[in-house]
Amino acid sequence: MARGGRGRRLGLALGLLLALALAPRALLAKPTVRKERVVRPDSELGERPPEDNQSFQYDHEAFLGKEDSKTFDQLTPDESKERLGKIVDRIDNDGDGFVTTEELKTWIKRVQKRYIFDNVAKVWKDYDRDKDDKISWEEYKQATYGYYLGNPAEFQDSSDHHTFRKMLPRDERRFKAADLNGDLTATREEFTAFLHPEEFEHMKEIVVLETLEDIDKNGDGFVDQDEYIADMFSHEENGPEPDWVLSEREQFNEFRDLNKDGKLDKDEIRHWILPQDYDHAQAEARHLVYESDKNKDEKLTKEEILENWNMFVGSQATNYGEDLTKNHDEL
């Protein structure tokens, strides 16, 4: 769910800037371009771009993750194939010499969730102030909202006052939902659920509720079509709506508003933003097997994978070819 920072008045105190820098989610802003609300379980994977049919960038990022795929792009072809061989051994969980679609799917899901744990590791020390390897609600509140709570008079006339008053109880509600044992202290797993609720089943209701609160501007507990569109698109005065906005209005009427009452309730919002009908990791695993399975036995040997290595990983050679294409397009 895309978010942006609100404008800050001149001379805003350094303490507030630090608090905003530490906040796990940037503060809400009105979007001016289309915004994607749908939450994918493999949220870094997303849809395969139509223009990616002729390159393997999507495959590389799905198989390795974005950061590691960049690392492979700096290797020679021989180095890439050597490292790929070691990865194949790790994917083959049962050690039978074959990589199945299910084993590939498990690997891809693990890779795509790795960025979440990396994100938590990067911010952990900013919140764990007493270094006990746990983060209490009080620690989080002071790190994020401490300056605001200690200096409320400075914010009486600023837009940040309204934002902080809204976000503080919202964060507390989310923190308590992530805190499974109710001790107001988060383990790494619980804090990960707090920062990334879309990845945890017990946090899905919070995701739905926060989405409703973000979009429901008239406070009636529902999302009507105009609110649905306003969340994605900021309409310029007297300007025409783009074709995609008209398409979204049709989507709202035909597929979002399931009971045809002209508005979305919580169940319909859940159906919209938490779809259960498509597994991107499964689709990518099937794609990789289909493209590399020479003998069509629906599983891959290490030899089949290494023979089609440039679909799984990049190298200086493949990256050079992509750079040539990009540079040519930019000329």
Side-chain angles (χ1 to χ4, degrees):
M1 303 174 196
R3 304 204 178 203
R6 286 188 184 275
R8 297 175 179 81
R9 59 190 173 89
L10 188 64
L12 195 61
L14 177 61
L16 174 59
L17 293 176
L18 289 173
L20 290 175
L22 289 174
R25 292 162 290 125
L27 303 179
L28 198 63
K30 192 176 183 69
T32 56
V33 296
R34 185 175 187 172
K35 176 166 60 178
E36 178 62 58
R37 279 276 179 190
V38 178
V39 175
R40 304 293 182 186
D42 308 298
S43 51
E44 194 172 66
L45 191 54
E47 302 280 359
R48 175 184 291 275
E51 65 273 12
D52 194 57
N53 291 336
Q54 300 304 316
S55 78
F56 298 130
Q57 181 179 351
Y58 180 94
D59 300 303
H60 297 169
E61 292 181 0
F63 184 74
L64 297 168
K66 288 186 177 180
E67 292 305 314
D68 281 359
S69 70
K70 294 175 184 175
T71 299
F72 270 78
D73 286 343
Q74 307 307 313
L75 303 177
T76 66
D78 287 343
E79 289 171 332
S80 287
K81 284 187 275 189
E82 181 182 356
R83 289 200 188 185
L84 175 58
K86 295 177 181 178
I87 291 174
V88 172
D89 293 336
R90 292 168 61 190
I91 298 173
D92 180 15
N93 288 326
D94 58 10
D96 67 351
F98 296 97
V99 171
T100 65
T101 300
E102 191 63 27
E103 286 173 327
L104 258 180
K105 182 182 79 169
T106 299
W107 170 263
I108 291 170
K109 282 184 175 290
R110 185 185 306 148
V111 165
Q112 295 306 316
K113 287 187 183 296
R114 187 171 58 201
Y115 86 98
I116 296 170
F117 296 104
D118 288 348
N119 170 256
V120 172
K122 287 177 183 176
V123 302
W124 182 264
K125 65 180 182 300
D126 295 324
Y127 297 110
D128 182 17
R129 294 186 162 191
D130 61 7
K131 309 305 178 189
D132 65 347
D133 206 33
K134 296 179 181 178
I135 295 172
S136 68
W137 165 246
E138 195 62 29
E139 283 178 308
Y140 174 80
K141 183 174 70 172
Q142 289 303 318
T144 306
Y145 300 103
Y147 190 87
Y148 164 73
L149 294 171
N151 303 272
E154 293 193 25
F155 302 92
Q156 291 301 319
D157 300 324
S158 74
S159 61
D160 297 297
H161 174 67
H162 172 74
T163 300
F164 275 121
R165 288 192 62 180
K166 174 183 176 183
M167 294 303 293
L168 177 55
R170 179 161 154 158
D171 274 352
E172 184 174 10
R173 181 183 65 195
R174 187 195 279 201
F175 192 97
K176 288 179 177 178
D179 176 26
L180 291 177
N181 65 1
D183 63 354
L184 288 180
T185 300
T187 63
R188 286 184 182 264
E189 181 78 5
E190 289 171 332
F191 198 64
T192 302
F194 171 66
L195 293 186
H196 300 277
E198 69 282 354
E199 300 291 339
F200 293 81
E201 192 61 37
H202 68 282
M203 297 295 289
K204 296 294 177 67
E205 290 307 308
I206 285 289
V207 175
V208 171
L209 181 57
E210 290 183 0
T211 301
L212 172 61
E213 291 173 344
D214 284 347
I215 306 176
D216 175 24
K217 300 306 181 186
N218 64 13
D220 66 351
F222 299 93
V223 173
D224 61 36
Q225 186 184 104
D226 288 338
E227 289 170 331
Y228 173 83
I229 294 299
D231 180 61
M232 306 177 186
F233 176 67
S234 182
H235 199 289
E236 296 180 6
E237 191 172 350
N238 300 322
E241 287 186 342
D243 289 342
W244 70 261
V245 173
L246 300 177
S247 176
E248 281 295 341
R249 290 191 182 278
E250 293 176 1
Q251 287 281 320
F252 181 93
N253 290 329
E254 295 180 20
F255 303 108
R256 309 280 185 245
D257 182 15
L258 300 177
N259 62 7
K260 308 305 177 187
D261 65 351
K263 56 190 178 184
L264 307 185
D265 58 25
K266 285 184 181 179
D267 288 337
E268 288 167 323
I269 291 172
R270 186 182 301 105
H271 187 270
W272 162 36
I273 69 170
L274 299 170
Q276 301 297 316
D277 58 345
Y278 191 78
D279 187 332
H280 287 274
Q282 176 79 14
E284 176 63 13
R286 287 175 175 170
H287 168 71
L288 290 172
V289 170
Y290 178 82
E291 293 295 337
S292 306
D293 183 17
K294 296 299 183 182
N295 63 4
K296 303 305 176 186
D297 61 354
E298 299 184 351
K299 54 188 176 182
L300 302 179
T301 63
K302 180 186 282 191
E303 289 71 24
E304 286 176 318
I305 292 174
L306 293 179
E307 187 175 339
N308 199 27
W309 66 273
N310 60 345
M311 171 167 276
F312 291 84
V313 300
S315 72
Q316 291 174 345
T318 55
N319 194 44
Y320 179 68
E322 290 173 8
D323 285 345
L324 281 180
T325 303
K326 290 177 184 176
N327 291 338
H328 182 268
D329 290 341
E330 291 168 0
L331 292 177

